[in-house]
Amino acid sequence: MRAAGALDAIGILGARAGVSVHDAYSAYLSSAGRHALCNAHLLRELLALERPHEPWPTALIWLLLEMQQAVEAARHAGARALDATQLAELEGRWERILALGEATHPPPERSGKPGHPKQSRARNLLDRLQAQREAVLAFLYDFGVPFDNHQAERDLRMAKLQQKIRGGFRSWEGAQIFCYLRGYISTLRKQGLNVLSALERLFQGDLLWPQLDG
């Protein structure tokens, strides 16, 4: 569930200090703070739009992957940002590809009926890419922003497996305890701490606190 009430109950969005990487769900976008859109989700949308007579989705897929490789290469070389010339060239290609998409899918004409006219999936995506350009390309400008949100999805996978294999949790308290433990173990691993030693200390009443302000 991703309704506003569920998001408020989790208590993460309002307390975060960094960048939220997500799939452009409206409830996420309405929260305060910096946003970045998951490009793995975007690539899947573009793949669904690929047609022999529509070259722009394929061109955008290859450009996004090239951008990702450019960032990884620069990071590996010790750089903290892309070269200005390289960045301008990538941005120029981005704009030209979107212009091609706009020409292929112009905005629908108004029919005189109330409300917004129905648009194609391609047109809706193009509108989002224009409106959320900074969030889509956040990884290109800030090397601290990941290309996608796969890490977050991996963090949630164990809870979904518990639901799938065992049919859910027997109580709300049990679900909370499961999430506390999985979250604690996941954080320990990300910070290179020994999970077994930390759990031994936990049951001895000597809690090892991971670093939470990074």
Side-chain angles (χ1 to χ4, degrees):
M1 177 182 290
R2 298 198 292 175
L7 297 177
D8 291 340
I10 295 174
I12 294 177
L13 291 180
R16 79 191 191 285
V19 180
S20 294
V21 185
H22 52 79
D23 60 357
Y25 184 59
S26 59
Y28 299 153
L29 286 170
S30 63
S31 65
R34 294 177 60 201
H35 296 267
L37 299 189
C38 172
N39 284 286
H41 284 84
L42 174 55
L43 289 174
R44 288 196 289 270
E45 288 187 81
L46 290 168
L47 282 170
L49 292 174
E50 279 191 308
R51 301 288 187 277
H53 60 283
E54 286 200 48
W56 71 270
T58 303
L60 198 56
I61 288 171
W62 285 108
L63 178 58
L64 283 167
L65 295 176
E66 185 178 336
M67 288 175 167
Q68 182 188 25
Q69 292 175 353
V71 169
E72 290 299 325
R75 185 187 287 116
H76 183 72
R80 302 182 66 178
L82 290 180
D83 174 82
T85 301
Q86 183 183 23
L87 182 60
E89 190 269 338
L90 292 171
E91 289 177 324
R93 288 166 59 191
W94 171 273
E95 296 297 341
R96 289 192 293 274
I97 293 171
L98 288 194
L100 179 60
E102 294 275 352
T104 308
H105 297 277
E109 296 183 1
R110 292 193 171 274
S111 62
K113 297 180 180 179
H116 295 286
K118 183 176 177 59
Q119 297 190 150
S120 65
R121 286 193 302 166
R123 182 67 231 180
N124 287 332
L125 177 57
L126 286 164
D127 285 347
R128 190 195 324 145
L129 293 175
Q130 293 287 14
Q132 302 294 336
R133 179 183 185 278
E134 183 177 344
V136 174
L137 299 181
F139 75 98
L140 194 65
Y141 305 119
D142 182 352
F143 284 8
V145 176
F147 182 77
D148 54 47
N149 70 344
H150 283 176
Q151 180 61 63
E153 294 188 349
R154 284 193 290 270
D155 290 338
L156 294 171
R157 188 166 296 148
M158 294 308 299
K160 296 303 293 183
L161 282 175
Q162 173 77 5
Q163 290 179 308
K164 180 178 180 181
I165 295 172
R166 297 184 178 276
F169 298 92
R170 296 191 178 186
S171 69
W172 175 247
E173 182 182 12
Q176 286 182 308
I177 292 173
F178 180 90
C179 291
Y180 291 152
L181 287 173
R182 292 303 313 183
Y184 184 61
I185 292 172
S186 176
T187 303
L188 291 170
R189 285 174 174 161
K190 290 173 188 173
Q191 297 187 5
L193 300 173
N194 187 288
V195 175
L196 181 58
S197 296
L199 291 177
E200 288 176 345
R201 289 178 54 175
L202 172 64
F203 289 112
Q204 292 170 2
D206 180 21
L207 178 62
L208 172 62
W209 285 98
Q211 186 69 30
L212 298 178
D213 58 355

